[in-house]
Amino acid sequence: MRVLIIGGAGFKNSGDEALLLSTVQIIRRVAPWAKLTVAANNEFVARQTLWGVDQINIVPSPRIAFFRNDSHYFRANHIFLQRRTALRQCLVGASPTEAIKTILNSSELDFIDRENSARFLSALADCDTIVVHGGGILTSPTRSRLIEHALTVEVAVNWGKRVLLRSHQIGPLTSSDDRDQMRSILSASSYVSTRDLNQSSYLCREVSPDTQVFDAPDDALLCSVGGASSEVLSRHGVARGQYICVGFRDNPSVGVTEDAYFKTAEIVLNAHRMIGGDIVLLPQGPFDIEPLKKLTSYLDCKAQVIEPNDPFRDPVHIAENARLMIACPHHSLIFALRNAVPVISPVMGDYYLFKNKGSMRFFELERFVIDLSNSQEEISTASSQLLHEIFDDEKAFRSKLSRQVEQVKVIAQHGIEEFRRCLLRHDDYSELQQSLM
């Protein structure tokens, strides 16, 4: 079995890196004989994420090879769409040999990286199955990634490959074109798992009613990241269970107002007045550092902005050893919940409301997501009530949360078993038997 893994990792976003590593670990567990190739947005970052994992082939992703990850890609503008159309005309309906020949020679594709495109297409031609690992890549706010993956899936199906989707946020989808792109991906997929409860799956069934969808928690909940928490905490000068951890993201795809900084800071200060302790501002990627530094200007107390040595593993260890997590970025919540750390999630915009509410619903914490578009009075009242719910009897709250997390992990394991069943074709079982002899 030859599996090509593709997704959104490669930009030192700790959540996306966790999803890549989780996917590799899960496939290695359920099909240890499989030959794995990763289509990476950044080969150096991918190898850093997969450190210690042997025998992984890495090729450039379509985002890098086809579109060079340039400003047109980021904006999903008319030039990007024209390029997608030109690629589709050359690739869909062509054999792998014909497609690679066209990629290397066509004057109509001067915008691509020819060598890297040929490497990716060769890897796609050589695999049996592609697994698109999760993240918020199949949504309207991330339209370029939705379109990129729709094209990749269409080519893969045209070449007789199976397509499996793991741990996805599907939606929000705000246009008929985006729904059409998503429908094409879903109809081509043999397996679809979402990472939230009754959110993405509802939209999937609305867009593609015949698609079977499995609700399971985010793969990062079970990912084995390696390293020692004690070493990471010591390096950054924080003590286990003694700090309030804060995540914040000023995401241009979503839109964050100045008001969001102020309202988030007020929630942090309210928590600090109630329980004390250090305030640790935790980036999930290098792009979060400047917004977090700006957030400190709204805090009238000392706060430390972490600059991780390892941009993937440090955030996991720091989040899961906090006393309280207050964060918008989705994986800050997941990393904290790995160790039953209480979470309050102030967010702005449908993109984060969609994903954070859906994920927190698994843990019966949906009401702990606070919409920052509400008035300051509403936010202050809601955050105070939630803080009292957590800390009036912290031991009991954490005990209940811990039980809930363990139940969710059982759901995750059931989802992995279903993935194993879908990944393995009938003739793969002979390989399984041989690997066990």
Side-chain angles (χ1 to χ4, degrees):
M1 182 194 300
R2 298 160 298 174
V3 180
L4 176 63
I5 301 167
I6 187 169
F11 300 100
K12 298 185 178 181
N13 181 328
S14 58
D16 289 339
E17 303 308 318
L19 290 170
L20 170 59
L21 180 58
S22 295
T23 301
V24 169
Q25 290 174 344
I26 289 167
I27 296 174
R28 278 285 171 82
R29 188 194 325 166
V30 302
W33 65 88
K35 296 179 180 179
L36 303 186
T37 297
V38 170
N41 290 317
N42 183 302
E43 182 173 349
F44 173 79
V45 174
R47 293 200 181 279
Q48 192 175 44
T49 296
L50 299 173
W51 179 84
V53 181
D54 297 329
Q55 298 179 323
I56 298 285
N57 182 38
I58 296 182
V59 298
S61 70
R63 179 171 181 170
I64 302 303
F66 293 164
F67 302 110
R68 297 181 185 267
N69 194 39
D70 65 9
S71 60
H72 300 297
Y73 177 93
F74 180 76
R75 292 194 296 268
N77 62 15
H78 70 284
I79 293 175
F80 167 75
L81 296 176
Q82 289 171 354
R83 291 173 175 177
R84 182 276 310 265
T85 299
L87 276 163
R88 186 177 182 278
Q89 290 172 345
C90 291
L91 298 178
V92 176
S95 70
T97 301
E98 292 168 339
I100 293 170
K101 183 178 179 180
T102 301
I103 282 288
L104 290 173
N105 297 293
S106 175
S107 61
E108 297 178 5
L109 302 177
D110 288 341
F111 56 87
I112 68 172
D113 183 317
R114 296 185 188 276
E115 180 182 347
N116 283 335
S117 295
R119 287 179 63 198
F120 170 75
L121 290 173
S122 295
L124 181 57
D126 190 50
C127 76
D128 306 303
T129 302
I130 68 168
V131 176
V132 184
H133 73 74
I137 59 177
L138 303 179
T139 79
S140 289
T142 56
R143 179 168 289 117
S144 54
R145 287 176 278 184
L146 171 63
I147 292 170
E148 170 205 335
H149 284 85
L151 174 61
T152 302
V153 166
E154 187 175 9
V155 176
V157 172
N158 185 243
W159 290 355
K161 315 302 178 182
R162 290 178 301 157
V163 178
L164 283 68
L165 308 184
R166 265 214 70 84
S167 201
H168 279 274
Q169 169 191 348
I170 297 173
L173 301 171
T174 57
S175 76
S176 59
D177 286 345
D178 292 344
R179 285 174 171 259
D180 288 343
Q181 297 287 339
M182 192 65 247
R183 186 177 298 109
S184 72
I185 295 173
L186 292 172
S187 63
S189 300
S190 303
Y191 170 91
V192 180
S193 73
T194 60
R195 62 178 186 178
D196 50 52
L197 183 60
N198 301 330
Q199 193 103 339
S200 294
S201 58
Y202 176 84
L203 186 53
C204 283
R205 285 186 281 269
E206 184 182 286
V207 170
S208 181
D210 294 333
T211 299
Q212 186 174 14
V213 182
F214 301 93
D215 279 339
D218 190 284
D219 276 349
L221 188 71
L222 298 179
C223 177
S224 177
V225 302
S229 292
S230 57
E231 293 180 7
V232 173
L233 299 182
S234 176
R235 190 188 323 128
H236 292 288
V238 293
R240 189 188 310 271
Q242 300 299 312
Y243 54 93
I244 298 170
C245 199
V246 181
F248 188 86
R249 178 162 295 168
D250 195 341
N251 193 325
S253 299
V254 178
V256 173
T257 67
E258 201 73 18
D259 204 33
Y261 283 88
F262 172 75
K263 290 175 176 176
T264 300
E266 285 299 301
I267 295 172
V268 175
L269 290 172
N270 194 6
H272 186 253
R273 285 189 288 267
M274 181 177 290
I275 65 173
D278 295 333
I279 298 177
V280 173
L281 282 75
L282 180 66
Q284 254 187 226
F287 36 78
D288 288 340
I289 292 177
E290 288 307 313
L292 287 170
K293 288 181 177 178
K294 180 178 177 180
L295 184 62
T296 63
S297 67
Y298 290 84
L299 301 172
D300 59 3
C301 58
K302 184 180 178 181
Q304 173 189 357
V305 178
I306 296 290
E307 298 201 19
N309 294 50
D310 185 324
F312 163 37
R313 291 171 176 83
D314 282 16
V316 178
H317 290 299
I318 292 171
E320 66 185 12
N321 285 285
R323 186 176 179 188
L324 172 69
M325 170 64 74
I326 300 175
C328 161
H330 176 259
H331 276 98
S332 295
L333 318 183
I334 300 300
F335 295 156
L337 290 166
R338 283 163 59 95
N339 197 33
V341 173
V343 170
I344 294 176
S345 179
V347 296
M348 174 163 285
D350 290 343
Y351 180 70
Y352 283 106
L353 279 170
F354 186 100
K355 70 164 86 179
N356 289 12
K357 280 191 173 183
S359 276
M360 295 277 273
R361 192 176 294 130
F362 264 118
F363 306 91
E364 299 182 357
L365 296 175
E366 181 181 358
R367 67 189 184 284
F368 285 74
V369 180
I370 297 176
D371 187 348
L372 292 179
S373 67
N374 292 334
S375 69
Q376 180 60 55
E377 182 179 359
E378 290 174 303
I379 291 169
S380 294
T381 300
S383 63
S384 293
Q385 289 174 345
L386 294 174
L387 287 166
H388 278 292
E389 185 174 343
I390 295 169
F391 294 109
D392 283 354
D393 190 343
E394 184 178 358
K395 184 177 179 180
F397 185 91
R398 291 186 70 122
S399 179
K400 179 181 177 181
L401 179 56
S402 182
R403 291 193 298 272
Q404 188 66 26
V405 170
E406 291 308 309
Q407 291 173 13
V408 174
K409 287 180 178 179
V410 171
I411 296 172
Q413 294 293 352
H414 290 323
I416 290 171
E417 175 58 26
E418 183 61 32
F419 175 74
R420 182 196 69 80
R421 188 188 67 78
C422 293
L423 179 67
L424 300 183
R425 299 171 301 179
H426 177 73
D427 60 356
D428 291 326
Y429 283 97
S430 60
E431 297 182 62
L432 173 61
Q433 291 170 346
Q434 291 174 14
S435 72
L436 296 175
M437 291 176 62

